[in-house]
Amino acid sequence: MIEPKRIDFIDSEGIFLYENVVSNDQLFDWFHKMNSHAYFRQCANSSKTTDGKVIEQAKSWQANFNKPDIIEQINANPNSSSSVPDVDNQSPLGFELMEEIWNTINDQCGFHHLEPIQQYINAFNHGDNTWGHTDWYDYTIIVYINPEWDNQIMGGETLFFDEDYQFIRCAVACTPGNVVCFKGQIPHKGGLVSRDTTVARYSVVFQCKEFGSETGLEGK
């Protein structure tokens, strides 16, 4: 079992980093499967009103593997500022890949107390962006899936903020094979990818509920 590093000194259980969870050979296999079996759509599904003007979220790419009942709950929730489309005709092999990834990191990191609810793959290219946000459920887990990534040049760090977005409490690089687990209530965003980057920055995301917890859409 891999022991996590605590990297958030504001909250002793806020953000944990697990290093070298996935071998490079496994990453290359998943990366190939991802490009073969996942359908990515460009999305801009959040908005914000500033000075009477509605601003749409900058676009990024996502392959959505949420189950239909979860999509229905999100879209029916009046407190949601986002909408989620259907699974975009994702291949069953894509769902099998997501299950394989979850089972692998669960075995290595011991996430047995967590149940994945939302699951998707983000893909950021140079010029894509996302807003700072919080997530629906108790914990979010991110798997950095690119088999090759130069942190010094390529960027794309996951940034974690204080509640007012006044300072960055933590930044996690996209090191291949690493996994970060954090409380969903912590504001965060994917950082910008360098213009020198010629491949998409992939991250596999699982939004999870603790077993026995009621935290989720009903509490948003």
Side-chain angles (χ1 to χ4, degrees):
M1 193 76 67
I2 297 174
E3 292 295 324
K5 291 184 176 181
R6 190 189 76 187
I7 55 174
D8 179 17
F9 295 97
I10 298 175
D11 181 346
S12 63
E13 301 199 3
I15 307 170
F16 290 101
L17 176 67
Y18 297 78
E19 296 181 309
N20 302 313
V21 176
V22 186
S23 70
N24 204 248
D25 287 343
Q26 183 70 80
L27 289 177
F28 272 106
D29 178 60
W30 286 350
F31 193 76
H32 171 73
K33 290 179 178 177
M34 192 177 302
N35 284 296
S36 299
H37 305 316
Y39 169 71
F40 289 87
R41 58 177 174 82
Q42 196 172 46
C43 60
N45 58 0
S46 295
S47 62
K48 181 178 181 180
T49 302
T50 302
D51 297 329
K53 297 180 180 179
V54 177
I55 305 172
E56 194 175 59
Q57 179 179 356
K59 292 183 177 180
S60 58
W61 295 84
Q62 187 177 89
N64 169 23
F65 290 94
N66 294 324
K67 302 296 176 60
D69 59 326
I70 298 300
I71 294 170
E72 183 178 354
Q73 288 182 57
I74 295 172
N75 292 342
N77 191 289
N79 297 319
S80 173
S81 61
S82 303
S83 61
V84 180
D86 62 24
V87 295
D88 303 317
N89 298 315
Q90 296 286 1
S91 163
L93 293 173
F95 281 92
E96 291 179 12
L97 172 62
M98 295 296 285
E99 183 177 3
E100 180 182 345
I101 294 172
W102 171 255
N103 289 338
T104 299
I105 66 169
N106 190 15
D107 288 344
Q108 292 294 315
C109 302
F111 296 135
H112 307 297
H113 62 299
L114 299 178
E115 176 188 6
I117 307 296
Q118 286 206 67
Q119 51 184 21
Y120 48 90
I121 306 170
N122 285 327
F124 293 135
N125 295 283
H126 174 65
D128 294 335
N129 189 27
T130 183
W131 288 356
H133 61 280
T134 57
D135 290 338
W136 290 106
Y137 294 97
D138 295 309
Y139 283 90
T140 295
I141 295 170
I142 299 177
V143 187
Y144 297 107
I145 212 80
N146 290 73
E148 298 177 331
W149 194 266
D150 187 328
N151 290 325
Q152 183 178 5
I153 296 173
M154 301 171 83
E157 301 85 359
T158 303
L159 306 176
F160 298 91
F161 299 89
D162 71 303
E163 292 183 358
D164 299 320
Y165 294 94
Q166 295 300 305
F167 67 89
I168 295 173
R169 62 196 285 179
C170 177
V172 177
C174 307
T175 303
N178 281 6
V179 173
V180 63
C181 176
F182 59 93
K183 290 181 177 179
Q185 67 189 23
I186 298 175
H188 60 280
K189 65 171 289 184
L192 297 177
V193 174
S194 165
R195 66 180 180 181
D196 298 311
T197 304
T198 57
V199 296
R201 176 265 208 199
Y202 285 147
S203 59
V204 176
V205 180
F206 298 97
Q207 291 188 29
C208 303
K209 183 170 67 173
E210 286 191 288
F211 284 108
S213 169
E214 296 298 325
T215 302
L217 291 170
E218 68 281 352
K220 184 69 174 177

